[in-house]
Amino acid sequence: MHPATRLYGRGVYRFLMSRQWVILTLIALLLIPTMIRLGIWQMHRYEERTARNQLVTDALAAEPVPVEKLTTPGHTVTSAERYRTVTAKGHFDTEDEVVVRRRTNSDDEVGYHVLTPFVLDDGKVLLVNRGWIPSDGPSQTAFPKVPAPPGGEVTVKGRLMPDETTEASGIKNLEGLPDRQVMLINSEQEARRLDARVLGGYIAQTAPEPKGDTPELLGNPGKEDAALNYAYAIQWWLFSAAVPVGWVVLARREARERARKATEAADSEKAEPAAV
């Protein structure tokens, strides 16, 4: 048997015990479970987003119902109730109208949302987000010019939304704001300000449409890109499978290289006596 062949068969993989290869092997062993867990996490995200998208689809497809069937004063709007289309009959109270600062429209322009109390026939108050207006007033402290809503008794329709909180939105509820300006749409906060029975949550108005297209009505809620999380999960799992394959390929390449060098050394030693 050729000396190099014996070396390859019995000892060429001893290099795996070297410091470099021990570290490389440990890194590979750590990467495999880490990538598997990342794939599982991405799959969970995919399932969560798919479920949320389904809730949005179901809510938008549901038949409109009177608002008081879904919410009452002090009620917390649930995920299943969010985006449900509701109707209400009453009149707008523009004297207690406020604007919500730092809100953007579909073109990412910064302005205000117009929040108008809507007094129901039974005296309760529904908060109505009538849409977006630009912040083109003389200053950020002056109350902007707000188009008037329909006068008299009217029926409004909109998507039911939960109260905004700092925890959920990340928006700080600043104090010391200019008169009739707020940061968050919160029924409890507005109930204290109005000293009235305010229904939990608010609605994003969809009808009647404003004259002159202002305020700009809020668009339909977008759906989350769940497919992207699914693709990331598959990607992580493919990476986890590629690590051991890559390790074997590198090890065999190293072994072949060492065997080649051993063969060349053996041939050189064998040829030296003949040269003498």
Side-chain angles (χ1 to χ4, degrees), residues 39-49:
I40 293 171
W41 177 76
Q42 287 289 355
M43 188 57 70
H44 287 163
R45 289 284 294 158
Y46 164 74
E47 292 170 352
E48 291 171 358
R49 287 186 164 187

Side-chain angles (χ1 to χ4, degrees), residues 174-272:
L174 303 178
E175 297 181 358
L177 294 175
D179 187 40
R180 301 177 67 186
Q181 296 190 25
V182 298
M183 294 298 300
L184 296 168
I185 305 177
N186 186 281
S187 61
E188 292 184 4
Q189 178 178 301
E190 290 302 298
R192 291 191 296 268
R193 182 179 71 87
L194 298 170
D195 190 22
R197 294 177 299 160
V198 179
L199 302 182
Y202 68 97
I203 69 167
Q205 182 178 334
T206 57
E209 295 186 4
K211 295 180 179 180
D213 296 328
T214 183
E216 179 183 318
L217 296 181
L218 305 184
N220 285 333
K223 293 187 177 181
E224 299 183 44
D225 191 357
L228 191 61
N229 294 102
Y230 186 87
Y232 285 153
I234 300 300
Q235 185 181 60
W236 281 119
W237 289 335
L238 289 175
F239 285 162
S240 70
V243 169
V245 172
W247 185 92
V248 170
V249 170
L250 288 176
R252 289 179 64 86
R253 182 182 298 171
E254 180 82 5
R256 286 196 300 269
E257 181 65 18
R258 287 173 178 265
R260 183 186 63 79
K261 290 181 178 179
T263 299
E264 291 177 353
D267 291 341
S268 176
E269 290 177 1
K270 186 177 180 180
E272 281 180 5

Side-chain angles (χ1 to χ4, degrees), residues 77-131:
V77 176
T78 66
S79 297
E81 295 163 344
R82 187 178 188 179
Y83 301 127
R84 283 289 303 274
T85 299
V86 296
T87 60
K89 187 177 181 181
H91 65 274
F92 283 104
D93 174 17
T94 55
E95 290 187 4
D96 289 316
E97 188 172 63
V98 296
V99 292
V100 190
R101 294 167 60 93
R102 301 178 186 173
R103 299 301 168 107
T104 58
N105 65 356
S106 57
D107 295 322
D108 289 331
E109 298 172 321
V110 179
Y112 303 97
H113 281 177
V114 179
L115 187 65
T116 310
F118 188 79
V119 184
L120 307 180
D121 291 341
D122 61 4
K124 297 187 185 73
V125 174
L126 170 66
L127 300 178
V128 178
N129 185 341
R130 295 202 289 124

Side-chain angles (χ1 to χ4, degrees), residues 70 133 135 155 210 238 249:
L70 295 181
I133 59 172
S135 55
T155 298
L238 289 175
V249 170

